[in-house]
């Protein structure tokens, strides 16, 4: 959706879609010194490329700023939930401490979006006041705590995924934002910044 809004060609749409889909998992595997999953199984790349191609007619029909529509952001919230909790699960299974697993899980969830925004020439949404990474941190922390207290892994997975999704979706509904830092209007560029919302 972001690629079509920035008037990329079909190849650009496919590349951006694939990178957004696999970047978080790739970084996760590298941090854990594990084999990168998509180097062993081709289907994630094929699925990501096909999904990206399928969005083209939808994006063209819906028009500019389609990637900021509420339905698209809600779908993205589900992706954030699954990828972040999955990353935390894999990190815990690799024997990392719970705190590190939370960091790796959160990183898995947000990396694709960061690279997507960089490649389309805009500040990453996760750094511009969106209640995004905090939802992932909350959900992965919940998952790590549940597993450490002996809760059934499957139950912990679903509760944590639902928690991330619910937090992100509710933040969208309520227009929650995080305090951002901006210079005072007309002030000296070296003057200390103030927090604004």
């Amino acid at each position: 959706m972001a690629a079509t809004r920035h008037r990329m060609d079909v190849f650009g749409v496919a590349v951006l879609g694939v990178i957004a889909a696999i970047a978080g998992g790739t970084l996760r595997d590298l941090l854990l010194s594990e084999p990168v999953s998509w180097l062993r199984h081709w289907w994630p790349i094929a699925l990501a490329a096909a999904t990206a191609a399928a969005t083209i007619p939808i994006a063209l029909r819906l028009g500019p700023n389609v990637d900021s529509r509420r339905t698209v952001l809600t779908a993205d919230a589900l992706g954030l939930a699954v990828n972040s909790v999955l990353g935390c699960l894999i990190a815990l299974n690799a024997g990392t401490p719970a705190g590190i697993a939370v960091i790796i899980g959160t990183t898995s969830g947000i990396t694709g979006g960061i690279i997507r925004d960089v490649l389309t020439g805009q500040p990453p949404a996760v750094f511009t006041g969106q209640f995004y990474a905090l939802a992932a941190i909350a959900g992965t922390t919940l998952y790590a705590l549940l597993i450490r207290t002996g809760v059934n892994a499957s139950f912990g997975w679903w509760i944590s995924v639902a928690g991330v999704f619910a937090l992100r979706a509710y933040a969208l509904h309520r227009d929650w934002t995080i305090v951002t830092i901006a210079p005072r209007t007309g002030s000296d560029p070296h003057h200390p910044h103030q927090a604004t919302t």
Side-chain angles (χ1 to χ4, degrees):
M1 296 294 191
T4 56
R5 180 160 69 91
H6 287 82
R7 300 181 179 274
M8 292 186 177
D9 59 22
V10 175
F11 180 72
V13 171
V15 169
L16 200 65
V18 169
I19 289 175
I22 69 172
T26 300
L27 181 58
R28 175 202 67 218
D29 292 340
L30 292 174
L31 289 172
L32 294 172
S33 298
E34 298 284 346
V36 177
S37 58
W38 60 266
L39 293 178
R40 294 177 295 165
H41 308 286
W42 62 269
W43 65 265
I45 291 181
L47 180 60
T51 303
T55 65
I56 294 174
I58 300 171
L60 292 176
R61 185 172 70 252
L62 295 179
N65 301 317
V66 63
D67 55 321
S68 64
R69 287 175 179 256
R70 193 59 58 95
T71 51
V72 175
L73 293 174
T74 301
D76 182 65
L78 180 58
L80 173 70
V82 171
N83 285 320
S84 58
V85 178
L86 177 62
C88 184
L89 180 158
I90 291 174
L92 287 173
N93 287 344
T96 64
I100 299 301
V102 167
I103 293 172
I104 290 177
T106 300
T107 301
S108 298
I110 68 176
T111 297
I114 292 173
I115 296 179
R116 173 203 65 212
D117 291 341
V118 169
L119 291 177
T120 54
Q122 55 189 2
V126 69
F127 300 144
T128 56
Q130 293 288 322
F131 193 90
Y132 196 79
L134 288 182
I137 291 170
T140 52
T141 299
L142 174 62
Y143 181 75
L145 289 174
L146 289 173
I147 295 303
R148 289 297 187 233
T149 55
V151 171
N152 177 271
S154 179
F155 176 77
W157 158 267
W158 287 110
I159 289 295
S160 302
V161 168
V164 176
F165 178 77
L167 271 176
R168 175 59 177 153
Y170 189 71
L172 287 171
H173 176 70
R174 302 290 297 179
D175 291 322
W176 282 356
T177 57
I178 302 170
V179 172
T180 56
I181 309 302
R184 297 177 187 274
T185 304
S187 65
D188 185 289
H190 301 292
H191 191 280
H193 290 181
Q194 68 174 349
T196 63
T197 54

